[in-house]
Amino acid sequence: QRRVHGERIFYIKPISDFGHKWFDPNTNWSYIPVILHVLVIQQLNAIYRWIAGKLTDAENHETEHKYESALILKRFLFEAFDCYIALFYLAFFQMNVTRLNTELVSLFYVDTLRRVAHHCMSAGRTVSVPTRRS
C-alpha cells in the first residue's frame, strides 16, 4: 500500500486513529499537536546549534568572518528544513490547502504566545546600565 507520490508513505494508522479521536480540528485540542511541534523544533534547533558550533570549530577557519558565515549557513539550512518540512508536506504531498492554512495560523498563534512569554520572562531579568553623567 506504499505509493511513491502521496501521503501513504508517511501514514501510520495508530497515530492517525489517535489524532482523529482526540484532536478534532474544530476544538481547542487541535492546538496540542502544534504546540508539541513547536517544542520539538525548538529542542532540535538547540541540539543542532551545539552540533553546528562543534563542527564549525573543527573546521578551523582562518578568519572570524569565515567562521561566522559557515556557522550561519549550517544553522540556517537545518532550521529552515526543520521548521518548514511539515508545511511543505501539507502543501505538496497532501495538497490540503485548508489544513495548511490551519497549520500556518496555529503556528502563528503559538509563536506569538512564545514570543510574548519570552519577552515577559526576560523583562524581569533586564539589567540597567548606569550612564555617565557629565
Side-chain angles (χ1 to χ4, degrees):
Q1 198 177 38
R2 290 184 62 163
R3 289 188 286 178
V4 175
H5 181 66
E7 74 260 3
R8 287 289 169 203
I9 295 172
F10 304 104
Y11 182 78
I12 302 170
K13 185 164 179 26
I15 294 174
S16 176
D17 292 343
F18 180 77
H20 288 298
K21 180 178 178 182
W22 292 102
F23 303 116
D24 180 11
N26 300 320
T27 66
N28 287 334
W29 287 102
S30 65
Y31 287 109
I32 290 175
V34 177
I35 292 168
L36 292 174
H37 180 220
V38 168
L39 293 174
V40 167
I41 286 174
Q42 287 179 338
Q43 291 306 309
L44 288 174
N45 287 345
I47 292 167
Y48 189 71
R49 186 177 306 125
W50 179 80
I51 292 170
K54 293 294 184 186
L55 289 173
T56 308
D57 288 344
E59 291 170 359
N60 198 17
H61 292 279
E62 295 175 1
T63 65
E64 188 73 22
H65 177 72
K66 288 182 181 179
Y67 174 88
E68 292 293 330
S69 296
L71 183 61
I72 289 169
L73 180 64
K74 285 179 188 68
R75 287 192 50 203
F76 172 78
L77 291 176
F78 179 80
E79 290 180 18
F81 177 81
D82 184 33
C83 186
Y84 297 113
I85 191 66
L87 301 176
F88 180 84
Y89 172 74
L90 286 173
F92 297 107
F93 281 95
Q94 286 191 341
M95 296 182 198
N96 187 340
V97 176
T98 305
R99 182 72 179 116
L100 178 63
N101 182 39
T102 302
E103 187 75 13
L104 284 168
V105 169
S106 299
L107 281 172
F108 172 76
Y109 286 141
V110 170
D111 190 55
T112 301
L113 289 173
R114 181 192 61 82
R115 289 173 189 260
V116 168
H118 177 73
H119 178 71
C120 290
M121 286 190 291
S122 64
R125 290 183 284 177
T126 16
V127 178
S128 64
V129 178
T131 57
R132 180 184 288 180
R133 295 185 182 178
S134 305

